[in-house]
Amino acid sequence: MGVYKKMASTMTTFESFHQDMIHDTQPDYYGTRLATCSSDRLIKIFDITSKQPKAIAELAGHSGPVWQVSWAHPKFGSMLASCGYDRKVIIWKEGQNNLWTPVKEYTGHSSSVNSVAWAPHEYGLVLACASSDGHISVISYQGDTWNETKFHGHTGGCTSVSWCPYLKPGALFGVVEGANPKRIVTGGCDNTARVWQFDESDKTWKPESNGVLTGHQDWVRDVAWAPNIGLPVSTVATCSQDRKCFIWTQSENSDWKKTELPQFPAPVWRVSWSITGNILAVSTGDNRVTLWKENTDGEWTIVSAVTENGVSEN
């Protein structure tokens, strides 16, 4: 299986040596390593600092397809979370000589775990997980102990999870002060995305009163909360089997407002924001990735596209 690595206007194809379909690829915080996972039950780590990426580690611990991987912030060391069809979440830590070992294995779900996402590092070492059993679990490390909590999220199953940024919208420019409460958005097989907030008083996750995002006509495949670039709004992208992608915005203490991108020719599988939060990558079932950006008139337009052969369309 091949992987495409794009840098500036150039693109490199390299052999991953996975023996089955690749489901996720994630660069680390510094963009020097790439983690991949596959239906072959393996996770691979590549050094991508040179023109030709090099495999440096192979992680074997899942007994079924591995759906997703997520890097922790480097302040916690070199750590990676993975989830899979085997109902397991594994947290890996790198030691010497590129040797990775599991430091936590969570088996609290009764069905496939489809998505994992680390919280902003300011909250500590906290991982959210979404499962086909309809539940979301949150695993945190405090002192020398891993703590686990689980709550019901979506009837029919949960497909995806993403964290709200630590800083409040507008905080970068001094418009408001302080940090956000812990918030996540999840996608599910009930055709909705839902926003949840952690109640510090009783240490439970609760649905926000205006946090049910409706409009999709089929499973919500992915959700992505945009990084905070200083604008006084929160922004979330959702995508669905119904070939639609919505961009949701919320000012403080207001309802979520929906903007719909033009309908895609195939189901929309994944959405991902650039590190600055102003460009959205949309991956569709026709093996195409399109990049979208909002113009000065508030309209979202395509700025680039990549086909299944790695051909860039500007």
Side-chain angles (χ1 to χ4, degrees):
M1 292 289 180
V3 174
Y4 296 109
K5 172 196 167 192
K6 186 169 183 181
M7 299 179 64
S9 60
T10 63
M11 189 174 301
T12 301
T13 303
F14 66 95
E15 176 56 59
S16 72
F17 298 103
H18 280 296
Q19 301 303 309
D20 209 328
M21 182 180 294
I22 298 170
H23 297 292
D24 194 24
T25 63
Q26 293 292 333
D28 69 0
Y29 180 84
Y30 297 111
T32 60
R33 293 186 295 178
L34 184 76
T36 64
C37 61
S38 166
S39 282
D40 65 6
R41 308 178 183 184
L42 297 176
I43 300 157
K44 294 178 183 285
I45 311 293
F46 295 86
D47 181 334
I48 56 173
T49 56
S50 61
K51 184 177 180 179
Q52 189 60 37
K54 177 184 177 182
I56 57 175
E58 182 177 285
L59 286 58
H62 286 279
S63 58
V66 187
W67 302 132
Q68 201 170 79
V69 288
S70 180
W71 292 91
H73 191 277
K75 72 174 287 185
F76 302 110
S78 188
M79 300 185 72
L80 185 75
S82 61
C83 63
Y85 183 74
D86 58 3
R87 302 176 291 178
K88 291 195 295 189
V89 175
I90 302 177
I91 299 174
W92 309 80
K93 187 174 180 64
E94 184 183 23
Q96 295 181 343
N97 302 318
N98 297 318
L99 180 62
W100 291 79
T101 55
V103 294
K104 171 65 177 177
E105 186 172 302
Y106 177 65
T107 57
H109 287 288
S110 60
S111 192
S112 171
V113 183
N114 303 314
S115 181
V116 285
W118 290 103
H121 67 89
E122 293 90 346
Y123 294 130
L125 195 58
V126 184
L127 183 73
C129 319
S131 171
S132 291
D133 65 11
H135 288 80
I136 298 114
S137 58
V138 180
I139 306 166
S140 60
Y141 187 74
Q142 296 175 329
D144 295 324
T145 305
W146 290 96
N147 300 306
E148 306 155 359
T149 184
K150 187 171 67 171
F151 60 96
H152 187 267
H154 295 263
T155 300
C158 303
T159 61
S160 48
V161 60
S162 181
W163 285 84
C164 173
Y166 176 74
L167 290 176
K168 286 186 176 181
L172 293 180
F173 293 144
V175 178
V176 296
E177 295 182 356
N180 276 309
K182 293 177 185 174
R183 302 170 75 195
I184 58 174
V185 60
T186 58
C189 300
D190 56 1
N191 306 348
T192 70
R194 296 173 184 263
V195 182
W196 311 83
Q197 185 172 142
F198 187 69
D199 189 333
E200 295 288 352
S201 63
D202 61 6
K203 306 300 180 184
T204 60
W205 287 90
K206 296 178 180 178
E208 294 193 355
S209 58
N210 58 351
V212 180
L213 309 183
T214 61
H216 286 296
Q217 302 303 311
D218 208 328
W219 289 11
V220 175
R221 288 292 185 180
D222 199 17
V223 294
W225 208 308
N228 188 330
I229 59 171
L231 298 176
V233 293
S234 292
T235 304
V236 167
T238 64
C239 67
S240 169
Q241 189 75 17
D242 65 6
R243 301 184 292 152
K244 293 180 180 180
C245 179
F246 297 150
I247 296 173
W248 306 81
T249 55
Q250 181 192 47
S251 301
E252 193 168 9
N253 300 320
S254 68
D255 291 335
W256 290 90
K257 296 180 179 180
K258 178 177 64 179
T259 299
E260 182 177 345
L261 299 186
Q263 185 159 324
F264 291 85
V268 189
W269 286 93
R270 296 291 293 273
V271 283
S272 178
W273 292 98
S274 64
I275 195 170
T276 55
N278 63 338
I279 296 177
L280 178 68
V282 181
S283 176
T284 48
D286 56 357
N287 299 326
R288 193 165 179 258
V289 177
T290 51
L291 303 182
W292 298 77
K293 187 174 183 180
E294 187 178 20
N295 62 27
T296 54
D297 296 325
E299 299 174 340
W300 287 83
T301 58
I302 294 179
V303 295
S304 183
V306 180
T307 68
E308 68 175 308
N309 297 318
V311 178
S312 181
E313 305 170 353
N314 294 318

mmCIF file of all heavy atoms in Angstrom, residues 16-55:
data_model
loop_
_atom_site.group_PDB
_atom_site.id
_atom_site.type_symbol
_atom_site.label_atom_id
_atom_site.label_comp_id
_atom_site.label_asym_id
_atom_site.label_seq_id
_atom_site.Cartn_x
_atom_site.Cartn_y
_atom_site.Cartn_z
ATOM 1 N N SER A 16 4.272 1.774 1.970
ATOM 2 C CA SER A 16 4.044 1.641 3.410
ATOM 3 C C SER A 16 4.325 0.227 3.913
ATOM 4 O O SER A 16 4.501 0.030 5.109
ATOM 5 C CB SER A 16 2.599 2.009 3.737
ATOM 6 O OG SER A 16 1.721 0.997 3.276
ATOM 7 N N PHE A 17 4.286 -0.745 3.013
ATOM 8 C CA PHE A 17 4.451 -2.157 3.347
ATOM 9 C C PHE A 17 3.303 -2.702 4.193
ATOM 10 O O PHE A 17 3.413 -3.780 4.770
ATOM 11 C CB PHE A 17 5.799 -2.415 4.033
ATOM 12 C CG PHE A 17 6.974 -2.083 3.157
ATOM 13 C CD1 PHE A 17 7.699 -0.911 3.358
ATOM 14 C CD2 PHE A 17 7.337 -2.919 2.111
ATOM 15 C CE1 PHE A 17 8.765 -0.592 2.548
ATOM 16 C CE2 PHE A 17 8.405 -2.600 1.283
ATOM 17 C CZ PHE A 17 9.125 -1.436 1.504
ATOM 18 N N HIS A 18 2.192 -1.949 4.275
ATOM 19 C CA HIS A 18 0.981 -2.544 4.843
ATOM 20 C C HIS A 18 0.445 -3.570 3.850
ATOM 21 O O HIS A 18 0.550 -3.394 2.629
ATOM 22 C CB HIS A 18 -0.076 -1.468 5.096
ATOM 23 C CG HIS A 18 0.131 -0.682 6.358
ATOM 24 N ND1 HIS A 18 0.076 -1.261 7.603
ATOM 25 C CD2 HIS A 18 0.385 0.638 6.559
ATOM 26 C CE1 HIS A 18 0.282 -0.325 8.529
ATOM 27 N NE2 HIS A 18 0.478 0.828 7.919
ATOM 28 N N GLN A 19 -0.178 -4.625 4.375
ATOM 29 C CA GLN A 19 -0.676 -5.707 3.535
ATOM 30 C C GLN A 19 -2.177 -5.612 3.283
ATOM 31 O O GLN A 19 -2.765 -6.512 2.689
ATOM 32 C CB GLN A 19 -0.344 -7.054 4.182
ATOM 33 C CG GLN A 19 1.135 -7.281 4.402
ATOM 34 C CD GLN A 19 1.936 -7.175 3.106
ATOM 35 O OE1 GLN A 19 1.602 -7.816 2.113
ATOM 36 N NE2 GLN A 19 2.982 -6.356 3.118
ATOM 37 N N ASP A 20 -2.777 -4.505 3.720
ATOM 38 C CA ASP A 20 -4.214 -4.322 3.519
ATOM 39 C C ASP A 20 -4.496 -2.820 3.503
ATOM 40 O O ASP A 20 -3.576 -2.007 3.574
ATOM 41 C CB ASP A 20 -5.011 -5.036 4.630
ATOM 42 C CG ASP A 20 -6.385 -5.502 4.170
ATOM 43 O OD1 ASP A 20 -6.978 -4.814 3.299
ATOM 44 O OD2 ASP A 20 -6.878 -6.525 4.666
ATOM 45 N N MET A 21 -5.762 -2.472 3.449
ATOM 46 C CA MET A 21 -6.167 -1.077 3.328
ATOM 47 C C MET A 21 -5.660 -0.225 4.483
ATOM 48 O O MET A 21 -5.714 -0.638 5.653
ATOM 49 C CB MET A 21 -7.694 -0.993 3.266
ATOM 50 C CG MET A 21 -8.246 0.424 3.088
ATOM 51 S SD MET A 21 -10.048 0.440 3.012
ATOM 52 C CE MET A 21 -10.319 -0.446 1.482
ATOM 53 N N ILE A 22 -5.172 0.975 4.172
ATOM 54 C CA ILE A 22 -4.754 1.947 5.184
ATOM 55 C C ILE A 22 -5.961 2.806 5.551
ATOM 56 O O ILE A 22 -6.622 3.356 4.676
ATOM 57 C CB ILE A 22 -3.605 2.836 4.658
ATOM 58 C CG1 ILE A 22 -2.379 1.984 4.347
ATOM 59 C CG2 ILE A 22 -3.255 3.926 5.669
ATOM 60 C CD1 ILE A 22 -1.293 2.737 3.615
ATOM 61 N N HIS A 23 -6.242 2.931 6.841
ATOM 62 C CA HIS A 23 -7.421 3.669 7.293
ATOM 63 C C HIS A 23 -7.100 5.063 7.815
ATOM 64 O O HIS A 23 -7.980 5.936 7.804
ATOM 65 C CB HIS A 23 -8.148 2.871 8.380
ATOM 66 C CG HIS A 23 -8.676 1.570 7.899
ATOM 67 N ND1 HIS A 23 -9.711 1.459 6.991
ATOM 68 C CD2 HIS A 23 -8.289 0.290 8.167
ATOM 69 C CE1 HIS A 23 -9.954 0.195 6.737
ATOM 70 N NE2 HIS A 23 -9.104 -0.543 7.433
ATOM 71 N N ASP A 24 -5.887 5.290 8.274
ATOM 72 C CA ASP A 24 -5.565 6.602 8.836
ATOM 73 C C ASP A 24 -4.073 6.862 8.739
ATOM 74 O O ASP A 24 -3.255 5.922 8.823
ATOM 75 C CB ASP A 24 -6.013 6.670 10.307
ATOM 76 C CG ASP A 24 -6.034 8.096 10.862
ATOM 77 O OD1 ASP A 24 -6.155 9.046 10.057
ATOM 78 O OD2 ASP A 24 -5.943 8.254 12.089
ATOM 79 N N THR A 25 -3.710 8.112 8.546
ATOM 80 C CA THR A 25 -2.318 8.553 8.599
ATOM 81 C C THR A 25 -2.286 9.850 9.399
ATOM 82 O O THR A 25 -3.109 10.735 9.171
ATOM 83 C CB THR A 25 -1.729 8.800 7.194
ATOM 84 O OG1 THR A 25 -2.459 9.866 6.557
ATOM 85 C CG2 THR A 25 -1.811 7.548 6.337
ATOM 86 N N GLN A 26 -1.347 9.965 10.339
ATOM 87 C CA GLN A 26 -1.279 11.154 11.184
ATOM 88 C C GLN A 26 0.166 11.576 11.407
ATOM 89 O O GLN A 26 0.974 10.778 11.917
ATOM 90 C CB GLN A 26 -1.938 10.886 12.548
ATOM 91 C CG GLN A 26 -3.440 10.664 12.505
ATOM 92 C CD GLN A 26 -4.218 11.917 12.130
ATOM 93 O OE1 GLN A 26 -3.749 13.028 12.365
ATOM 94 N NE2 GLN A 26 -5.385 11.747 11.554
ATOM 95 N N PRO A 27 0.522 12.814 11.049
ATOM 96 C CA PRO A 27 1.859 13.317 11.384
ATOM 97 C C PRO A 27 1.924 13.692 12.858
ATOM 98 O O PRO A 27 0.899 14.019 13.473
ATOM 99 C CB PRO A 27 1.999 14.558 10.491
ATOM 100 C CG PRO A 27 0.587 15.033 10.304
ATOM 101 C CD PRO A 27 -0.270 13.793 10.297
ATOM 102 N N ASP A 28 3.125 13.647 13.426
ATOM 103 C CA ASP A 28 3.264 14.049 14.823
ATOM 104 C C ASP A 28 3.281 15.574 14.943
ATOM 105 O O ASP A 28 3.153 16.305 13.949
ATOM 106 C CB ASP A 28 4.500 13.409 15.459
ATOM 107 C CG ASP A 28 5.811 13.952 14.900
ATOM 108 O OD1 ASP A 28 5.799 14.836 14.018
ATOM 109 O OD2 ASP A 28 6.884 13.473 15.332
ATOM 110 N N TYR A 29 3.434 16.064 16.160
ATOM 111 C CA TYR A 29 3.344 17.495 16.452
ATOM 112 C C TYR A 29 4.331 18.313 15.631
ATOM 113 O O TYR A 29 4.012 19.407 15.153
ATOM 114 C CB TYR A 29 3.597 17.704 17.951
ATOM 115 C CG TYR A 29 3.545 19.138 18.415
ATOM 116 C CD1 TYR A 29 2.329 19.744 18.730
ATOM 117 C CD2 TYR A 29 4.713 19.887 18.567
ATOM 118 C CE1 TYR A 29 2.282 21.056 19.170
ATOM 119 C CE2 TYR A 29 4.678 21.202 19.001
ATOM 120 C CZ TYR A 29 3.455 21.777 19.304
ATOM 121 O OH TYR A 29 3.419 23.084 19.738
ATOM 122 N N TYR A 30 5.531 17.779 15.426
ATOM 123 C CA TYR A 30 6.579 18.512 14.718
ATOM 124 C C TYR A 30 6.582 18.237 13.215
ATOM 125 O O TYR A 30 7.359 18.859 12.476
ATOM 126 C CB TYR A 30 7.952 18.159 15.301
ATOM 127 C CG TYR A 30 8.106 18.551 16.752
ATOM 128 C CD1 TYR A 30 8.179 17.573 17.752
ATOM 129 C CD2 TYR A 30 8.156 19.884 17.128
ATOM 130 C CE1 TYR A 30 8.312 17.931 19.087
ATOM 131 C CE2 TYR A 30 8.282 20.253 18.466
ATOM 132 C CZ TYR A 30 8.365 19.268 19.440
ATOM 133 O OH TYR A 30 8.493 19.626 20.755
ATOM 134 N N GLY A 31 5.748 17.320 12.760
ATOM 135 C CA GLY A 31 5.701 16.992 11.349
ATOM 136 C C GLY A 31 6.916 16.239 10.849
ATOM 137 O O GLY A 31 7.229 16.262 9.655
ATOM 138 N N THR A 32 7.593 15.534 11.754
ATOM 139 C CA THR A 32 8.792 14.788 11.366
ATOM 140 C C THR A 32 8.548 13.284 11.258
ATOM 141 O O THR A 32 9.362 12.573 10.671
ATOM 142 C CB THR A 32 9.931 15.026 12.371
ATOM 143 O OG1 THR A 32 9.502 14.590 13.672
ATOM 144 C CG2 THR A 32 10.298 16.506 12.427
ATOM 145 N N ARG A 33 7.452 12.812 11.833
ATOM 146 C CA ARG A 33 7.118 11.389 11.766
ATOM 147 C C ARG A 33 5.653 11.226 11.376
ATOM 148 O O ARG A 33 4.818 12.080 11.655
ATOM 149 C CB ARG A 33 7.414 10.697 13.096
ATOM 150 C CG ARG A 33 8.893 10.641 13.429
ATOM 151 C CD ARG A 33 9.171 9.829 14.678
ATOM 152 N NE ARG A 33 8.593 10.453 15.864
ATOM 153 C CZ ARG A 33 8.659 9.926 17.071
ATOM 154 N NH1 ARG A 33 9.283 8.769 17.264
ATOM 155 N NH2 ARG A 33 8.123 10.550 18.099
ATOM 156 N N LEU A 34 5.375 10.082 10.758
ATOM 157 C CA LEU A 34 4.027 9.780 10.310
ATOM 158 C C LEU A 34 3.624 8.415 10.842
ATOM 159 O O LEU A 34 4.370 7.442 10.709
ATOM 160 C CB LEU A 34 3.969 9.774 8.778
ATOM 161 C CG LEU A 34 2.596 9.565 8.146
ATOM 162 C CD1 LEU A 34 1.761 10.844 8.256
ATOM 163 C CD2 LEU A 34 2.738 9.143 6.687
ATOM 164 N N ALA A 35 2.438 8.349 11.458
ATOM 165 C CA ALA A 35 1.886 7.071 11.910
ATOM 166 C C ALA A 35 0.787 6.641 10.948
ATOM 167 O O ALA A 35 -0.041 7.463 10.529
ATOM 168 C CB ALA A 35 1.327 7.194 13.323
ATOM 169 N N THR A 36 0.790 5.364 10.579
ATOM 170 C CA THR A 36 -0.244 4.811 9.707
ATOM 171 C C THR A 36 -0.857 3.583 10.376
ATOM 172 O O THR A 36 -0.208 2.910 11.181
ATOM 173 C CB THR A 36 0.339 4.400 8.332
ATOM 174 O OG1 THR A 36 1.279 3.330 8.522
ATOM 175 C CG2 THR A 36 1.053 5.567 7.668
ATOM 176 N N CYS A 37 -2.111 3.292 10.028
ATOM 177 C CA CYS A 37 -2.746 2.084 10.564
ATOM 178 C C CYS A 37 -3.597 1.446 9.483
ATOM 179 O O CYS A 37 -4.073 2.111 8.556
ATOM 180 C CB CYS A 37 -3.570 2.381 11.809
ATOM 181 S SG CYS A 37 -4.943 3.538 11.559
ATOM 182 N N SER A 38 -3.822 0.140 9.627
ATOM 183 C CA SER A 38 -4.362 -0.626 8.506
ATOM 184 C C SER A 38 -5.226 -1.797 8.972
ATOM 185 O O SER A 38 -5.200 -2.192 10.144
ATOM 186 C CB SER A 38 -3.179 -1.154 7.675
ATOM 187 O OG SER A 38 -3.566 -2.157 6.771
ATOM 188 N N SER A 39 -5.961 -2.352 8.004
ATOM 189 C CA SER A 39 -6.712 -3.583 8.258
ATOM 190 C C SER A 39 -5.798 -4.774 8.475
ATOM 191 O O SER A 39 -6.263 -5.847 8.878
ATOM 192 C CB SER A 39 -7.662 -3.877 7.092
ATOM 193 O OG SER A 39 -8.813 -3.072 7.167
ATOM 194 N N ASP A 40 -4.492 -4.616 8.224
ATOM 195 C CA ASP A 40 -3.564 -5.727 8.482
ATOM 196 C C ASP A 40 -3.202 -5.835 9.967
ATOM 197 O O ASP A 40 -2.313 -6.592 10.339
ATOM 198 C CB ASP A 40 -2.299 -5.599 7.621
ATOM 199 C CG ASP A 40 -1.448 -4.370 7.966
ATOM 200 O OD1 ASP A 40 -1.766 -3.661 8.944
ATOM 201 O OD2 ASP A 40 -0.470 -4.121 7.234
ATOM 202 N N ARG A 41 -3.890 -5.006 10.807
ATOM 203 C CA ARG A 41 -3.768 -5.047 12.267
ATOM 204 C C ARG A 41 -2.514 -4.343 12.790
ATOM 205 O O ARG A 41 -2.237 -4.396 13.991
ATOM 206 C CB ARG A 41 -3.790 -6.487 12.801
ATOM 207 C CG ARG A 41 -4.962 -7.313 12.315
ATOM 208 C CD ARG A 41 -4.905 -8.733 12.842
ATOM 209 N NE ARG A 41 -5.999 -9.545 12.311
ATOM 210 C CZ ARG A 41 -6.230 -10.800 12.656
ATOM 211 N NH1 ARG A 41 -5.433 -11.405 13.528
ATOM 212 N NH2 ARG A 41 -7.241 -11.471 12.120
ATOM 213 N N LEU A 42 -1.783 -3.693 11.905
ATOM 214 C CA LEU A 42 -0.512 -3.081 12.293
ATOM 215 C C LEU A 42 -0.570 -1.560 12.254
ATOM 216 O O LEU A 42 -1.358 -0.962 11.514
ATOM 217 C CB LEU A 42 0.611 -3.570 11.373
ATOM 218 C CG LEU A 42 0.932 -5.056 11.396
ATOM 219 C CD1 LEU A 42 1.998 -5.362 10.362
ATOM 220 C CD2 LEU A 42 1.366 -5.496 12.794
ATOM 221 N N ILE A 43 0.315 -0.970 13.059
ATOM 222 C CA ILE A 43 0.586 0.471 13.031
ATOM 223 C C ILE A 43 2.051 0.620 12.654
ATOM 224 O O ILE A 43 2.911 -0.105 13.166
ATOM 225 C CB ILE A 43 0.331 1.107 14.412
ATOM 226 C CG1 ILE A 43 -1.125 0.904 14.847
ATOM 227 C CG2 ILE A 43 0.700 2.596 14.408
ATOM 228 C CD1 ILE A 43 -1.325 0.991 16.330
ATOM 229 N N LYS A 44 2.341 1.537 11.755
ATOM 230 C CA LYS A 44 3.721 1.772 11.344
ATOM 231 C C LYS A 44 4.085 3.238 11.556
ATOM 232 O O LYS A 44 3.242 4.130 11.381
ATOM 233 C CB LYS A 44 3.933 1.373 9.880
ATOM 234 C CG LYS A 44 3.771 -0.128 9.626
ATOM 235 C CD LYS A 44 3.937 -0.461 8.153
ATOM 236 C CE LYS A 44 3.706 -1.937 7.880
ATOM 237 N NZ LYS A 44 4.837 -2.776 8.317
ATOM 238 N N ILE A 45 5.332 3.452 11.957
ATOM 239 C CA ILE A 45 5.863 4.799 12.160
ATOM 240 C C ILE A 45 6.938 5.052 11.116
ATOM 241 O O ILE A 45 7.844 4.225 10.934
ATOM 242 C CB ILE A 45 6.462 4.974 13.574
ATOM 243 C CG1 ILE A 45 5.485 4.471 14.648
ATOM 244 C CG2 ILE A 45 6.846 6.428 13.810
ATOM 245 C CD1 ILE A 45 4.228 5.278 14.784
ATOM 246 N N PHE A 46 6.846 6.204 10.444
ATOM 247 C CA PHE A 46 7.806 6.568 9.412
ATOM 248 C C PHE A 46 8.505 7.871 9.774
ATOM 249 O O PHE A 46 7.876 8.805 10.293
ATOM 250 C CB PHE A 46 7.104 6.748 8.060
ATOM 251 C CG PHE A 46 6.501 5.498 7.507
ATOM 252 C CD1 PHE A 46 5.215 5.115 7.872
ATOM 253 C CD2 PHE A 46 7.207 4.695 6.628
ATOM 254 C CE1 PHE A 46 4.642 3.954 7.369
ATOM 255 C CE2 PHE A 46 6.645 3.529 6.118
ATOM 256 C CZ PHE A 46 5.360 3.158 6.496
ATOM 257 N N ASP A 47 9.794 7.937 9.492
ATOM 258 C CA ASP A 47 10.539 9.189 9.542
ATOM 259 C C ASP A 47 10.315 9.888 8.206
ATOM 260 O O ASP A 47 10.652 9.345 7.147
ATOM 261 C CB ASP A 47 12.027 8.886 9.751
ATOM 262 C CG ASP A 47 12.874 10.146 9.840
ATOM 263 O OD1 ASP A 47 12.476 11.182 9.287
ATOM 264 O OD2 ASP A 47 13.950 10.088 10.456
ATOM 265 N N ILE A 48 9.721 11.093 8.236
ATOM 266 C CA ILE A 48 9.402 11.787 6.984
ATOM 267 C C ILE A 48 10.213 13.070 6.819
ATOM 268 O O ILE A 48 9.802 14.006 6.139
ATOM 269 C CB ILE A 48 7.889 12.091 6.887
ATOM 270 C CG1 ILE A 48 7.402 12.901 8.095
ATOM 271 C CG2 ILE A 48 7.093 10.794 6.760
ATOM 272 C CD1 ILE A 48 5.958 13.366 7.965
ATOM 273 N N THR A 49 11.389 13.108 7.467
ATOM 274 C CA THR A 49 12.232 14.298 7.361
ATOM 275 C C THR A 49 13.022 14.337 6.059
ATOM 276 O O THR A 49 13.495 15.399 5.649
ATOM 277 C CB THR A 49 13.206 14.385 8.546
ATOM 278 O OG1 THR A 49 13.984 13.177 8.603
ATOM 279 C CG2 THR A 49 12.454 14.558 9.855
ATOM 280 N N SER A 50 13.184 13.203 5.410
ATOM 281 C CA SER A 50 13.930 13.156 4.149
ATOM 282 C C SER A 50 12.964 13.024 2.980
ATOM 283 O O SER A 50 11.758 12.826 3.158
ATOM 284 C CB SER A 50 14.915 11.985 4.146
ATOM 285 O OG SER A 50 14.219 10.762 4.284
ATOM 286 N N LYS A 51 13.499 13.138 1.769
ATOM 287 C CA LYS A 51 12.658 13.064 0.573
ATOM 288 C C LYS A 51 11.976 11.722 0.463
ATOM 289 O O LYS A 51 10.826 11.634 0.030
ATOM 290 C CB LYS A 51 13.521 13.326 -0.669
ATOM 291 C CG LYS A 51 12.728 13.368 -1.967
ATOM 292 C CD LYS A 51 13.601 13.705 -3.147
ATOM 293 C CE LYS A 51 12.779 13.742 -4.437
ATOM 294 N NZ LYS A 51 13.618 14.089 -5.614
ATOM 295 N N GLN A 52 12.665 10.676 0.883
ATOM 296 C CA GLN A 52 12.077 9.340 0.849
ATOM 297 C C GLN A 52 11.826 8.855 2.277
ATOM 298 O O GLN A 52 12.759 8.510 2.993
ATOM 299 C CB GLN A 52 12.991 8.354 0.125
ATOM 300 C CG GLN A 52 12.344 6.995 -0.137
ATOM 301 C CD GLN A 52 11.078 7.095 -0.997
ATOM 302 O OE1 GLN A 52 11.009 7.906 -1.915
ATOM 303 N NE2 GLN A 52 10.085 6.292 -0.691
ATOM 304 N N PRO A 53 10.571 8.873 2.755
ATOM 305 C CA PRO A 53 10.264 8.448 4.117
ATOM 306 C C PRO A 53 10.776 7.041 4.417
ATOM 307 O O PRO A 53 10.831 6.178 3.539
ATOM 308 C CB PRO A 53 8.738 8.502 4.163
ATOM 309 C CG PRO A 53 8.390 9.541 3.147
ATOM 310 C CD PRO A 53 9.374 9.365 2.046
ATOM 311 N N LYS A 54 11.134 6.832 5.684
ATOM 312 C CA LYS A 54 11.728 5.569 6.106
ATOM 313 C C LYS A 54 10.953 4.983 7.271
ATOM 314 O O LYS A 54 10.679 5.665 8.262
ATOM 315 C CB LYS A 54 13.185 5.806 6.514
ATOM 316 C CG LYS A 54 13.899 4.572 7.035
ATOM 317 C CD LYS A 54 15.301 4.917 7.500
ATOM 318 C CE LYS A 54 16.016 3.708 8.101
ATOM 319 N NZ LYS A 54 17.368 4.060 8.606
ATOM 320 N N ALA A 55 10.593 3.699 7.162
ATOM 321 C CA ALA A 55 9.909 3.011 8.255
ATOM 322 C C ALA A 55 10.875 2.801 9.415
ATOM 323 O O ALA A 55 11.980 2.295 9.226
ATOM 324 C CB ALA A 55 9.368 1.672 7.783
#
